[in-house]
Amino acid sequence: MARYTGPSCKLCRREGRKLFLKGERCLSEKCALSRRATVPGQHGAGRKAVKEYGLQLREKQTARRYYGVQEKQFKKYYVAADKKEGIAGENLLSLLERRFDNAVYRMGMASSRKEARQLVRHAHFLLNGKKADIPSIILKVGDVITLKEKSRSSEKLKGLIENIADTNAPKWLDVDAEAVSAKVIAIPDREDVDFEFNEQLIIELYSK
């Protein structure tokens, strides 16, 4: 599956918002957006009036890049969210929150969603006791994520394991730091999303 392989910081500069794509670096003085808060490109410093479509597009791109989802896959999430009962925008964010890689990140086992996606692809985690290496799996209530026993000896993962206890996990995840596991105990609602989105703009974009 295609994926973005360019500089992560360029995405934050393009959207004009910190997307926290590089973990702790985004909170440090090395953050590219803090040092150069202009849109990438030759004419990035120029000011342009943004029309309604531009606002909708930027919000969609922000959400897509924040969760690390490709265009075609993001459209599928919108279609699924629109078919569900309730508010389409909130349904969309709920689906994105329940992605396997996002849940690994939210339980504190990765410094960024990109790192969480890599850990999942390398099959470091079990889902309900079985091998699962697909980051886009949508979790359901009752699903349990567990770090593989064999992976606990990894020096890199040892450092991440120590951070779990200090992670402010969302209320839809019941995290057990000692067992290095997390159980989905509820469907995420709008308040559980840890980023300021205007999801209505995304729905308006796709509704045209």
Side-chain angles (χ1 to χ4, degrees):
M1 182 178 176
R3 61 188 177 90
Y4 177 75
T5 57
S8 298
C9 294
K10 185 177 285 188
L11 299 181
C12 295
R13 289 178 55 207
R14 179 62 190 90
E15 303 309 332
R17 304 162 74 180
K18 285 191 179 186
L19 303 180
F20 304 99
L21 303 177
K22 301 193 77 172
E24 293 182 3
R25 183 186 177 94
C26 299
L27 303 174
S28 71
E29 297 177 353
K30 295 181 180 180
C31 174
L33 189 63
S34 299
R35 292 187 287 111
R36 193 179 180 188
T38 57
V39 175
Q42 183 179 358
H43 306 291
R47 293 186 177 182
K48 297 180 181 179
V50 182
K51 297 183 179 180
E52 182 182 19
Y53 174 78
L55 291 172
Q56 295 167 350
L57 178 63
R58 294 270 56 86
E59 199 66 21
K60 186 264 292 183
Q61 293 292 74
T62 295
R64 190 174 68 76
R65 289 165 172 170
Y66 182 72
Y67 285 102
V69 178
Q70 294 299 313
E71 185 65 48
K72 187 178 292 186
Q73 194 173 31
F74 194 87
K75 178 67 177 293
K76 288 181 179 179
Y77 287 138
Y78 161 73
V79 172
D82 194 44
K83 290 180 180 179
K84 289 179 176 290
E85 292 184 4
I87 303 173
E90 294 184 6
N91 291 340
L92 175 62
L93 294 180
S94 179
L95 285 171
L96 292 168
E97 276 290 302
R98 284 187 286 132
R99 277 176 57 96
F100 190 13
D101 55 356
N102 182 71
V104 168
Y105 167 72
R106 296 281 261 153
M107 69 182 281
M109 272 304 299
S111 60
S112 67
R113 288 176 176 82
K114 184 176 181 179
E115 183 178 46
R117 189 156 48 252
Q118 185 181 49
L119 292 175
V120 170
R121 285 200 177 279
H122 290 175
H124 286 293
F125 293 92
L126 300 175
L127 182 58
N128 299 325
K130 299 179 181 179
K131 176 184 175 181
D133 57 4
I134 302 175
S136 61
I137 293 174
I138 301 298
L139 303 182
K140 305 182 295 295
V141 174
D143 283 346
V144 178
I145 303 169
T146 311
L147 181 66
K148 270 186 177 178
E149 196 65 40
K150 190 165 60 174
S151 298
R152 300 189 185 204
S153 60
S154 165
E155 289 301 321
K156 179 179 181 179
L157 290 177
K158 281 181 181 178
L160 293 171
I161 290 171
E162 293 174 358
N163 293 332
I164 291 183
D166 299 325
T167 300
N168 186 21
K171 65 176 183 292
W172 59 274
L173 273 180
D174 182 17
V175 178
D176 186 334
E178 188 173 340
V180 196
S181 68
K183 182 177 182 179
V184 180
I185 57 175
I187 298 296
D189 57 31
R190 185 62 185 84
E191 296 178 355
D192 294 317
V193 179
D194 61 346
F195 193 83
E196 285 298 321
F197 288 112
N198 186 342
E199 62 273 17
Q200 185 57 35
L201 290 176
I202 302 174
I203 303 304
E204 290 172 1
L205 176 68
Y206 280 122
S207 298
K208 291 182 176 179

